[in-house]
Amino acid sequence: MKTTSVLFCALSAVSATIAVSAETPPVSTSAAIKQTLDASAAAWSAGDLKTFMECYERAPGTRYVSASGIVEGYEAIEAMYASRFQKPGASLGKLTLELVDVKPLGSQYAFVIGRYHLKPDTGAEISGVTTLLFHKVGTRWLISSDHSS
């Protein structure tokens, strides 16, 4: 009788776990990172630099690397974007980001290769390649290091 009760409890626990797993499938690392990048591009295109910056990890060691140099720290990156792209009476332009490759580096980090296309209000489109190191902070994937060229 005890064996039957223990077996029944074990089967109940397994079936409850399967039911919960079936209801909420996990989002893949690639899909979660794509959601982050899509939200940031939408915010940029809407002219909302503050919301765009939510894709970056809010940490002093967060880095942005380009031909112009290295910018370190969340606030410094935000200031760089503002001084470079926010012009009185002009929008930030339309930004699109495409994922080329996502390589998970354990459960907390992922290396991402992407392409960006920025169409300003006036002038030629700016496009290039970006390599990003994403860090999982809580349930969110955030950029810890950004190299754009």
Side-chain angles (χ1 to χ4, degrees), residues 44-109:
W44 181 278
S45 297
D48 185 351
L49 185 60
K50 291 279 186 204
T51 301
F52 165 79
M53 284 297 299
E54 291 178 5
C55 70
Y56 285 91
E57 184 175 6
R58 192 178 283 270
T62 299
R63 291 187 178 136
Y64 178 88
V65 181
S66 70
S68 302
I70 300 169
V71 179
E72 191 165 11
Y74 183 92
E75 287 80 11
I77 294 169
E78 184 174 26
M80 178 275 304
Y81 275 123
S83 69
R84 196 166 156 204
F85 294 102
Q86 279 188 324
K87 306 295 181 215
S91 76
L92 293 172
K94 175 155 176 46
L95 177 65
T96 57
L97 297 161
E98 104 189 51
L99 281 182
V100 174
D101 186 45
V102 175
K103 180 180 254 353
L105 305 171
S107 62
Q108 298 298 306
Y109 289 91

Side-chain angles (χ1 to χ4, degrees), residues 26-40 52-58 102-112 132-144:
V27 175
S28 73
T29 300
S30 291
I33 288 171
K34 182 169 179 10
Q35 289 172 353
T36 298
L37 293 175
D38 288 348
S40 71
F52 165 79
M53 284 297 299
E54 291 178 5
C55 70
Y56 285 91
E57 184 175 6
R58 192 178 283 270
V102 175
K103 180 180 254 353
L105 305 171
S107 62
Q108 298 298 306
Y109 289 91
F111 180 75
V112 174
L132 306 165
L133 178 65
F134 271 82
H135 180 205
K136 189 171 188 184
V137 180
T139 60
R140 299 182 62 211
W141 284 95
L142 302 172
I143 298 170
S144 177

